[in-house]
Amino acid sequence: MLEKLRLHTDAWDLAVDLANGVTEIVVVDTRSQAHYLAGHIPGAINLPHVEMTVDRLASLDRSRLYISYCDGIGCNGSTWGAFKLASAGLRVKELLGGLDFWRRDGHPIAIGSDAGSLHGHELESCGC
């Protein structure tokens, strides 16, 4: 189970980190730009897994932790993104349930090209 926690995070834990302004993490939306623009996790960058090349990933900050996500459990874009990020030597976790579980937990969505922010957002109890 410790290994699972090292490799995965959930929507609640991510929302807490974003609301608290944790700067060590970078949330990576691994979907297409069109899907990102239609709605994404506030603060996320758009880096589609199909566009993750060695050269593009070489410019990423190795001191940060990357959280990859896609639509949800029916999509493996976040898994491919996590694999490519890890293969480039970056620390990475995959968001369990992706954007689907994020929405189910009632967290806000950013729309458009502005990354948005969850910093300072008041969270309700997750109940677990």
Side-chain angles (χ1 to χ4, degrees), residues 21-52:
V22 174
T23 59
E24 178 189 40
I25 62 173
V26 176
V27 181
V28 180
D29 187 320
T30 63
R31 304 172 304 149
S32 70
Q33 183 182 28
H35 281 91
Y36 175 85
L37 294 173
H40 57 271
I41 292 174
I45 64 168
N46 183 224
L47 183 55
H49 72 90
V50 297
E51 297 176 16
M52 290 184 183

Side-chain angles (χ1 to χ4, degrees), residues 4-73:
K4 182 177 179 177
L5 291 172
R6 190 179 71 76
L7 299 173
H8 295 98
T9 191
D10 67 3
W12 176 259
D13 289 344
L14 179 58
V16 168
D17 286 344
L18 292 174
N20 288 325
V22 174
T23 59
E24 178 189 40
I25 62 173
V26 176
V27 181
V28 180
D29 187 320
T30 63
R31 304 172 304 149
S32 70
Q33 183 182 28
H35 281 91
Y36 175 85
L37 294 173
H40 57 271
I41 292 174
I45 64 168
N46 183 224
L47 183 55
H49 72 90
V50 297
E51 297 176 16
M52 290 184 183
T53 64
V54 172
D55 291 338
R56 191 154 186 201
L57 297 178
S59 66
L60 297 178
D61 184 348
R62 296 196 177 291
S63 70
R64 300 186 72 193
L65 172 65
Y66 293 85
I67 309 294
S68 69
Y69 80 92
C70 58
D71 284 329
I73 61 173

